[in-house]
mmCIF file of all heavy atoms in Angstrom:
data_model
loop_
_atom_site.group_PDB
_atom_site.id
_atom_site.type_symbol
_atom_site.label_atom_id
_atom_site.label_comp_id
_atom_site.label_asym_id
_atom_site.label_seq_id
_atom_site.Cartn_x
_atom_site.Cartn_y
_atom_site.Cartn_z
ATOM 1 N N HIS A 295 2.101 -27.784 2.504
ATOM 2 C CA HIS A 295 0.727 -27.305 2.712
ATOM 3 C C HIS A 295 0.413 -26.214 1.703
ATOM 4 O O HIS A 295 -0.683 -26.186 1.115
ATOM 5 C CB HIS A 295 0.543 -26.784 4.139
ATOM 6 C CG HIS A 295 -0.873 -26.381 4.427
ATOM 7 N ND1 HIS A 295 -1.859 -27.297 4.706
ATOM 8 C CD2 HIS A 295 -1.482 -25.166 4.426
ATOM 9 C CE1 HIS A 295 -3.015 -26.663 4.872
ATOM 10 N NE2 HIS A 295 -2.796 -25.363 4.707
ATOM 11 N N LEU A 296 1.374 -25.286 1.496
ATOM 12 C CA LEU A 296 1.308 -24.378 0.356
ATOM 13 C C LEU A 296 2.214 -24.946 -0.723
ATOM 14 O O LEU A 296 3.393 -25.213 -0.471
ATOM 15 C CB LEU A 296 1.794 -22.978 0.733
ATOM 16 C CG LEU A 296 0.889 -22.100 1.602
ATOM 17 C CD1 LEU A 296 1.564 -20.752 1.864
ATOM 18 C CD2 LEU A 296 -0.475 -21.893 0.958
ATOM 19 N N LEU A 297 1.664 -25.114 -1.922
ATOM 20 C CA LEU A 297 2.505 -25.605 -3.008
ATOM 21 C C LEU A 297 3.449 -24.512 -3.486
ATOM 22 O O LEU A 297 4.497 -24.797 -4.068
ATOM 23 C CB LEU A 297 1.631 -26.101 -4.173
ATOM 24 C CG LEU A 297 2.310 -26.966 -5.225
ATOM 25 C CD1 LEU A 297 3.001 -28.164 -4.585
ATOM 26 C CD2 LEU A 297 1.295 -27.429 -6.263
ATOM 27 N N GLY A 298 3.069 -23.255 -3.191
ATOM 28 C CA GLY A 298 3.965 -22.172 -3.569
ATOM 29 C C GLY A 298 3.530 -20.830 -3.032
ATOM 30 O O GLY A 298 2.367 -20.630 -2.664
ATOM 31 N N TYR A 299 4.490 -19.917 -2.957
ATOM 32 C CA TYR A 299 4.262 -18.540 -2.508
ATOM 33 C C TYR A 299 5.039 -17.630 -3.434
ATOM 34 O O TYR A 299 6.205 -17.888 -3.761
ATOM 35 C CB TYR A 299 4.758 -18.361 -1.075
ATOM 36 C CG TYR A 299 4.617 -16.950 -0.522
ATOM 37 C CD1 TYR A 299 3.437 -16.546 0.095
ATOM 38 C CD2 TYR A 299 5.664 -16.040 -0.602
ATOM 39 C CE1 TYR A 299 3.304 -15.261 0.621
ATOM 40 C CE2 TYR A 299 5.549 -14.752 -0.076
ATOM 41 C CZ TYR A 299 4.369 -14.368 0.526
ATOM 42 O OH TYR A 299 4.235 -13.099 1.039
ATOM 43 N N GLY A 300 4.412 -16.556 -3.871
ATOM 44 C CA GLY A 300 5.103 -15.634 -4.765
ATOM 45 C C GLY A 300 4.664 -14.206 -4.556
ATOM 46 O O GLY A 300 3.582 -13.930 -4.029
ATOM 47 N N GLY A 301 5.509 -13.288 -4.976
ATOM 48 C CA GLY A 301 5.206 -11.867 -4.872
ATOM 49 C C GLY A 301 6.477 -11.060 -4.987
ATOM 50 O O GLY A 301 7.550 -11.569 -5.342
ATOM 51 N N ASP A 302 6.362 -9.774 -4.644
ATOM 52 C CA ASP A 302 7.520 -8.893 -4.751
ATOM 53 C C ASP A 302 7.730 -8.059 -3.496
ATOM 54 O O ASP A 302 8.635 -7.221 -3.469
ATOM 55 C CB ASP A 302 7.367 -7.971 -5.960
ATOM 56 C CG ASP A 302 6.254 -6.942 -5.788
ATOM 57 O OD1 ASP A 302 5.204 -7.296 -5.210
ATOM 58 O OD2 ASP A 302 6.418 -5.793 -6.223
ATOM 59 N N VAL A 303 6.911 -8.286 -2.486
ATOM 60 C CA VAL A 303 7.012 -7.484 -1.261
ATOM 61 C C VAL A 303 7.575 -8.328 -0.123
ATOM 62 O O VAL A 303 7.275 -9.510 0.002
ATOM 63 C CB VAL A 303 5.635 -6.890 -0.875
ATOM 64 C CG1 VAL A 303 5.237 -5.799 -1.854
ATOM 65 C CG2 VAL A 303 4.548 -7.964 -0.821
ATOM 66 N N TRP A 304 8.395 -7.675 0.713
ATOM 67 C CA TRP A 304 9.111 -8.345 1.786
ATOM 68 C C TRP A 304 8.831 -7.612 3.085
ATOM 69 O O TRP A 304 8.543 -6.412 3.073
ATOM 70 C CB TRP A 304 10.600 -8.365 1.487
ATOM 71 C CG TRP A 304 10.929 -8.986 0.164
ATOM 72 C CD1 TRP A 304 10.685 -8.454 -1.077
ATOM 73 C CD2 TRP A 304 11.544 -10.248 -0.068
ATOM 74 N NE1 TRP A 304 11.112 -9.310 -2.061
ATOM 75 C CE2 TRP A 304 11.648 -10.422 -1.473
ATOM 76 C CE3 TRP A 304 12.047 -11.248 0.774
ATOM 77 C CZ2 TRP A 304 12.219 -11.558 -2.049
ATOM 78 C CZ3 TRP A 304 12.613 -12.376 0.201
ATOM 79 C CH2 TRP A 304 12.688 -12.527 -1.193
ATOM 80 N N ASP A 305 8.933 -8.308 4.208
ATOM 81 C CA ASP A 305 8.648 -7.657 5.483
ATOM 82 C C ASP A 305 9.741 -6.682 5.888
ATOM 83 O O ASP A 305 9.531 -5.819 6.741
ATOM 84 C CB ASP A 305 8.416 -8.699 6.592
ATOM 85 C CG ASP A 305 9.516 -9.738 6.685
ATOM 86 O OD1 ASP A 305 10.428 -9.725 5.830
ATOM 87 O OD2 ASP A 305 9.462 -10.572 7.602
ATOM 88 N N VAL A 306 10.917 -6.792 5.269
ATOM 89 C CA VAL A 306 11.999 -5.812 5.406
ATOM 90 C C VAL A 306 12.523 -5.550 4.000
ATOM 91 O O VAL A 306 12.763 -6.490 3.236
ATOM 92 C CB VAL A 306 13.146 -6.335 6.299
ATOM 93 C CG1 VAL A 306 14.273 -5.313 6.350
ATOM 94 C CG2 VAL A 306 12.637 -6.637 7.701
ATOM 95 N N GLN A 307 12.695 -4.277 3.644
ATOM 96 C CA GLN A 307 13.168 -3.946 2.308
ATOM 97 C C GLN A 307 14.304 -2.941 2.365
ATOM 98 O O GLN A 307 14.143 -1.902 3.026
ATOM 99 C CB GLN A 307 12.005 -3.405 1.453
ATOM 100 C CG GLN A 307 10.943 -4.449 1.213
ATOM 101 C CD GLN A 307 9.889 -4.039 0.189
ATOM 102 O OE1 GLN A 307 9.044 -4.829 -0.162
ATOM 103 N NE2 GLN A 307 9.906 -2.808 -0.286
ATOM 104 N N PRO A 308 15.426 -3.219 1.670
ATOM 105 C CA PRO A 308 15.729 -4.439 0.926
ATOM 106 C C PRO A 308 15.774 -5.669 1.839
ATOM 107 O O PRO A 308 16.137 -5.559 3.011
ATOM 108 C CB PRO A 308 17.112 -4.162 0.331
ATOM 109 C CG PRO A 308 17.261 -2.673 0.344
ATOM 110 C CD PRO A 308 16.517 -2.214 1.553
ATOM 111 N N ALA A 309 15.421 -6.820 1.288
ATOM 112 C CA ALA A 309 15.422 -8.050 2.071
ATOM 113 C C ALA A 309 16.850 -8.505 2.341
ATOM 114 O O ALA A 309 17.698 -8.470 1.442
ATOM 115 C CB ALA A 309 14.671 -9.151 1.316
ATOM 116 N N PRO A 310 17.157 -8.917 3.573
ATOM 117 C CA PRO A 310 18.502 -9.414 3.872
ATOM 118 C C PRO A 310 18.822 -10.674 3.068
ATOM 119 O O PRO A 310 17.925 -11.399 2.629
ATOM 120 C CB PRO A 310 18.433 -9.720 5.377
ATOM 121 C CG PRO A 310 16.977 -9.861 5.682
ATOM 122 C CD PRO A 310 16.255 -8.969 4.734
ATOM 123 N N GLU A 311 20.101 -10.915 2.868
ATOM 124 C CA GLU A 311 20.525 -12.048 2.049
ATOM 125 C C GLU A 311 20.048 -13.378 2.613
ATOM 126 O O GLU A 311 19.836 -14.340 1.865
ATOM 127 C CB GLU A 311 22.049 -12.059 1.905
ATOM 128 C CG GLU A 311 22.589 -10.926 1.052
ATOM 129 C CD GLU A 311 24.081 -11.036 0.836
ATOM 130 O OE1 GLU A 311 24.660 -12.095 1.168
ATOM 131 O OE2 GLU A 311 24.685 -10.066 0.327
ATOM 132 N N ASP A 312 19.901 -13.444 3.934
ATOM 133 C CA ASP A 312 19.510 -14.713 4.547
ATOM 134 C C ASP A 312 17.996 -14.810 4.777
ATOM 135 O O ASP A 312 17.539 -15.693 5.520
ATOM 136 C CB ASP A 312 20.246 -14.915 5.871
ATOM 137 C CG ASP A 312 19.923 -13.839 6.910
ATOM 138 O OD1 ASP A 312 19.249 -12.841 6.547
ATOM 139 O OD2 ASP A 312 20.342 -13.989 8.072
ATOM 140 N N HIS A 313 17.224 -13.945 4.161
ATOM 141 C CA HIS A 313 15.769 -14.004 4.323
ATOM 142 C C HIS A 313 15.268 -15.364 3.836
ATOM 143 O O HIS A 313 15.589 -15.813 2.730
ATOM 144 C CB HIS A 313 15.110 -12.875 3.520
ATOM 145 C CG HIS A 313 13.702 -12.582 3.936
ATOM 146 N ND1 HIS A 313 12.679 -13.503 3.786
ATOM 147 C CD2 HIS A 313 13.131 -11.477 4.488
ATOM 148 C CE1 HIS A 313 11.544 -12.970 4.237
ATOM 149 N NE2 HIS A 313 11.794 -11.752 4.665
ATOM 150 N N VAL A 314 14.468 -16.012 4.647
ATOM 151 C CA VAL A 314 14.056 -17.383 4.377
ATOM 152 C C VAL A 314 13.193 -17.504 3.128
ATOM 153 O O VAL A 314 13.131 -18.567 2.507
ATOM 154 C CB VAL A 314 13.331 -17.967 5.617
ATOM 155 C CG1 VAL A 314 11.976 -17.305 5.823
ATOM 156 C CG2 VAL A 314 13.179 -19.479 5.502
ATOM 157 N N TRP A 315 12.554 -16.423 2.707
ATOM 158 C CA TRP A 315 11.752 -16.489 1.480
ATOM 159 C C TRP A 315 12.618 -16.633 0.234
ATOM 160 O O TRP A 315 12.133 -17.041 -0.819
ATOM 161 C CB TRP A 315 10.860 -15.257 1.356
ATOM 162 C CG TRP A 315 9.745 -15.208 2.355
ATOM 163 C CD1 TRP A 315 9.414 -16.173 3.268
ATOM 164 C CD2 TRP A 315 8.802 -14.145 2.559
ATOM 165 N NE1 TRP A 315 8.337 -15.777 4.030
ATOM 166 C CE2 TRP A 315 7.947 -14.526 3.619
ATOM 167 C CE3 TRP A 315 8.619 -12.904 1.968
ATOM 168 C CZ2 TRP A 315 6.912 -13.719 4.077
ATOM 169 C CZ3 TRP A 315 7.593 -12.089 2.415
ATOM 170 C CH2 TRP A 315 6.738 -12.495 3.462
#
Side-chain angles (χ1 to χ4, degrees):
H295 184 78
L296 286 180
L297 195 54
Y299 178 87
D302 69 322
V303 289
W304 304 71
D305 51 355
V306 177
Q307 295 190 174
E311 290 185 11
D312 62 352
H313 198 295
V314 70
W315 290 355

